[in-house]
Amino acid sequence: MDLLKFSLGVAVLMATALPAAASSSPWADSEGGRVRLVTTGTADASGRLSGALHIELKPGWKTYWRDPGASGVPPQIDITKAPGITKAELSYPAPGRHDDGYGSWAGYDRTVALPVTFTVANPKENTVIEAGVFLGICQTICIPVQAQLKVDPGVDAGNAEDAELVKSALASLPQKATDIFGAKTLPGEKDKLIVEATAPGVAKSVDLFVAGEQGYLFGAPTRAEKDGKIVFSIPILGRPDKAAEGSGLPYTLTAPSGAVEGLLPYP
């Protein structure tokens, strides 16, 4: 997505945190949709609290996956104003591929709930969550949406509707990759990531999404079928200045039968 095109929509939504009436925050509205934070109630004994960032899109609008391409905005959540929360980790359902005339990028063209796992410092105490959320919602232009959401998980902790939304969000996540449905890297050129995919179903319906994290930046993949194998060639547009730290590059592989996710070694 073109940076100038994105900058035309810098009417950023600033939503004030309002008192939470249930185990979800109030909605924060924007031109292309609205967003809220939903939780399942109280944390478990280890301090894990399940929730979801619920993004409701108006028809014709889209939002980004974890890797938004060269100039998009990935969903982000900031918990610095929630001292009782030590970590907030977003997870992502399988995205689709979109081309707006400026470039190809991964995201969602439908309402989506991104699972969030909060880590509570003291699970024996009720902890109010104040989270700053930042994401892009796009139609012909993209509008950065910034909102401050507040939820008290202990209020209406048994809310069945909220619990069902979080459960559905978790169920929408890709399964763990396997030898019969997964991806692996192949030797390739320095400026390309070559990935061989194995998936059930029609080969032309299989797609691969690799997240450019740790300083990596990737272009849109091209595919080829060779000796019965599906091979993706992904341009490496940027690399980190020093060795990446972590377990590898997250990927999602989609097919008509579903989606899986895993990690690829850093190239």
Side-chain angles (χ1 to χ4, degrees), residues 87-254:
K87 188 178 181 180
E89 184 177 11
L90 284 165
S91 299
Y92 299 86
R97 197 169 300 282
H98 305 283
D99 193 324
D100 53 19
Y102 293 86
S104 177
W105 52 278
Y108 311 96
D109 59 1
R110 65 189 188 282
T111 291
V112 63
L114 307 180
V116 187
T117 301
F118 295 99
T119 301
V120 179
N122 189 345
K124 294 183 179 180
E125 296 181 358
N126 186 54
T127 302
V128 175
I129 301 172
E130 291 191 49
V133 170
F134 188 59
L135 65 152
I137 295 181
C138 315
Q139 194 183 43
T140 54
I141 60 173
C142 278
I143 299 176
V145 176
Q146 185 173 346
Q148 193 70 27
L149 305 178
K150 183 177 181 179
V151 57
D152 184 345
V155 175
D156 196 16
N159 188 292
E161 184 177 344
D162 289 346
E164 182 58 33
L165 185 140
V166 173
K167 180 180 178 181
S168 296
L170 291 168
S172 73
L173 294 178
Q175 299 296 307
K176 185 177 180 180
T178 65
D179 290 340
I180 60 174
F181 193 179
K184 64 180 181 180
T185 55
L186 300 177
E189 303 172 30
K190 183 178 179 181
D191 61 348
K192 291 181 181 179
L193 179 66
I194 308 299
V195 181
E196 181 183 287
T198 303
V202 181
K204 67 179 180 179
S205 299
V206 176
D207 206 351
L208 175 69
F209 303 87
V210 179
E213 300 182 351
Q214 296 286 327
Y216 284 96
L217 179 62
F218 298 105
T222 56
R223 68 159 53 236
E225 294 180 42
K226 184 177 181 180
D227 300 327
K229 302 290 185 179
I230 308 168
V231 178
F232 291 90
S233 177
I234 308 171
I236 302 175
L237 305 180
R239 292 176 177 271
D241 295 330
K242 57 182 181 179
E245 298 178 359
S247 302
L249 295 167
Y251 77 84
T252 296
L253 183 66
T254 64

Side-chain angles (χ1 to χ4, degrees), residues 6-100:
F6 188 90
S7 67
L8 293 175
V10 293
V12 178
L13 167 71
M14 298 296 292
T16 304
L18 300 174
S23 48
S24 62
S25 73
W27 286 101
D29 295 300
S30 74
E31 181 180 349
R34 56 183 186 169
V35 60
R36 65 173 178 158
L37 186 63
V38 180
T39 67
T40 54
T42 56
D44 63 18
S46 67
R48 290 170 58 89
L49 173 61
S50 295
L53 183 61
H54 191 192
I55 306 169
E56 188 176 88
L57 298 172
K58 294 179 181 178
W61 289 77
K62 305 175 183 69
T63 193
Y64 294 101
W65 183 56
R66 66 191 304 161
D67 184 335
S71 58
V73 176
Q76 301 168 50
I77 185 165
D78 178 13
I79 53 169
T80 55
K81 292 186 178 180
I85 305 296
T86 61
K87 188 178 181 180
E89 184 177 11
L90 284 165
S91 299
Y92 299 86
R97 197 169 300 282
H98 305 283
D99 193 324
D100 53 19

